[in-house]
Amino acid sequence: MTPAAYVRSVIESRIDDIPNLSSEHVHAFMIDPNDNTKEDLILVISELVDGGGSYGNDQELNITRQVQLIFYYPPNYEFDMSEIEKSVKQVLFDQQIRCFSDAGHVMTPDSQNIINTLKFKYTEEEL
């Protein structure tokens, strides 16, 4: 399973613990062309360069995987964005997927969406 698919499965398995996010708006790599909501949060999960690994006896023992989550909020979003992101961080932290970067909220000049990018890493055992 790719890192993006793994993180997506973790989020979807605990979707009830994340306020104002539904599985239909959680995507790996790109937004589904059929997901054209104008009122709901859309979450896109993509992969980053692996963070290195540990070796023993010339074999890879584990590797650090990295993913980024981009939150797309409509410009008039009424719910607490920080609470949603905090919930996602907790759901992932419970699976030893740790946040190491939170870019902060910005508004895109083209679509006027409010976005935030969070980056996470976790260790995948190779044995």
Side-chain angles (χ1 to χ4, degrees), residues 42-108:
I42 294 176
L43 178 61
V44 177
I45 304 162
S46 58
E47 298 175 8
L48 300 171
V49 175
D50 290 334
S54 297
Y55 293 84
N57 295 330
D58 292 329
Q59 289 187 314
E60 190 170 46
L61 303 174
N62 61 46
I63 191 163
T64 300
R65 301 287 189 193
Q66 298 185 122
V67 296
Q68 71 178 10
L69 280 61
I70 304 174
F71 295 78
Y72 292 89
Y73 302 97
N76 57 350
Y77 198 67
E78 298 177 7
F79 299 104
D80 187 344
M81 294 179 270
S82 294
E83 184 63 30
I84 295 166
E85 293 159 12
K86 182 178 173 185
S87 298
V88 169
K89 287 178 184 178
Q90 185 61 54
V91 163
L92 295 177
F93 183 80
D94 290 346
Q95 295 296 313
Q96 287 81 44
I97 303 169
R98 292 172 173 81
C99 184
F100 69 90
S101 177
D102 184 335
H105 300 98
V106 297
M107 184 172 277
T108 62

